[in-house]
Amino acid sequence: MNDTILSKGLRRKRVGIHVGFSLLEVVIAMFVLSVGMLGVMQLMTGTLRYSFSQRDAVIASQLAQEGVELVYNIRDTNMAAGNAAFQNIDEGSNWRIDAMNSTPALSGGTFTLYEKSDHSYTHVSSGNTATRFSRKIMVNDITSGSILSKRVTSFVVWSSGIFPTNASNPEA
């Protein structure tokens, strides 16, 4: 008996139901979907922009470290040859070092870095691809009593950044 009542109720509900969506429902669904997709696309582009910025910061950090290590290399080479440790490491603010030279030395000039085919960086442009990175090394004399030491600061800028004028206050 319950089956008869239930089946009669279902038959009544099915009468008059139209299957499908109205045009207004489709337009509203498309609008909601497009707003959601727009948000996802903005999130993806922001994430990509941030990851490229972080990649450049890591490369710049490594290039700055390399600049300091190259000055250490000059100092250590001087000491190994029996010369004064700071020979050819004079105080100045516009130095560059080409790591590809067999005997790296401080020299002045432009600071644009070029990427070689082996993904190393050099200051020599012959046949190499210019990068957005530039490096400047600042050397300052520090005298503590009768002992002379040097402060070596390596700056790397990219995307037409401006080098700081003061090593002790890079923001200046």
Side-chain angles (χ1 to χ4, degrees):
M1 176 158 167
N2 285 339
D3 291 334
T4 310
I5 294 173
L6 183 61
S7 64
K8 287 180 184 177
L10 287 176
R11 267 188 254 137
R12 282 190 203 134
K13 287 185 181 179
R14 285 187 197 158
V15 175
I17 294 179
H18 300 283
V19 179
F21 299 102
S22 70
L23 181 60
L24 181 61
E25 290 172 327
V26 171
V27 169
I28 291 172
M30 291 298 290
F31 175 76
V32 168
L33 183 64
S34 63
V35 167
M37 291 302 291
L38 182 64
V40 169
M41 293 301 290
Q42 286 179 338
L43 181 65
M44 287 175 58
T45 57
T47 302
L48 281 173
R49 190 177 315 115
Y50 179 74
S51 69
F52 289 143
S53 172
Q54 292 304 305
R55 178 202 61 194
D56 289 345
V58 167
I59 291 171
S61 173
Q62 295 298 317
L63 289 170
Q65 179 66 32
E66 180 189 48
V68 172
E69 295 292 335
L70 289 169
V71 175
Y72 287 162
N73 184 19
I74 295 170
R75 181 202 62 188
D76 294 345
T77 302
N78 285 338
M79 292 187 331
N83 300 326
F86 297 121
Q87 181 178 331
N88 301 322
I89 304 177
D90 300 321
E91 185 172 27
S93 61
N94 294 316
W95 299 113
R96 65 180 174 89
I97 298 177
D98 187 3
M100 299 301 124
N101 289 344
S102 57
T103 55
L106 290 170
S107 58
T110 59
F111 310 108
T112 301
L113 292 169
Y114 296 89
E115 186 173 3
K116 295 177 69 172
S117 59
D118 63 356
H119 302 292
S120 60
Y121 291 86
T122 181
H123 288 284
V124 181
S125 64
S126 58
N128 299 314
T129 306
T131 65
R132 65 170 118 333
F133 300 99
S134 297
R135 177 172 53 209
K136 176 170 79 169
I137 299 169
M138 297 177 84
V139 178
N140 297 64
D141 291 339
I142 301 172
T143 306
S144 176
S146 63
I147 299 174
L148 174 67
S149 60
K150 305 277 185 174
R151 174 183 292 135
V152 177
T153 310
S154 178
F155 294 105
V156 175
V157 296
W158 66 94
S159 300
S160 68
I162 300 170
F163 285 112
T165 57
N166 186 347
S168 60
N169 184 11
E171 301 300 320

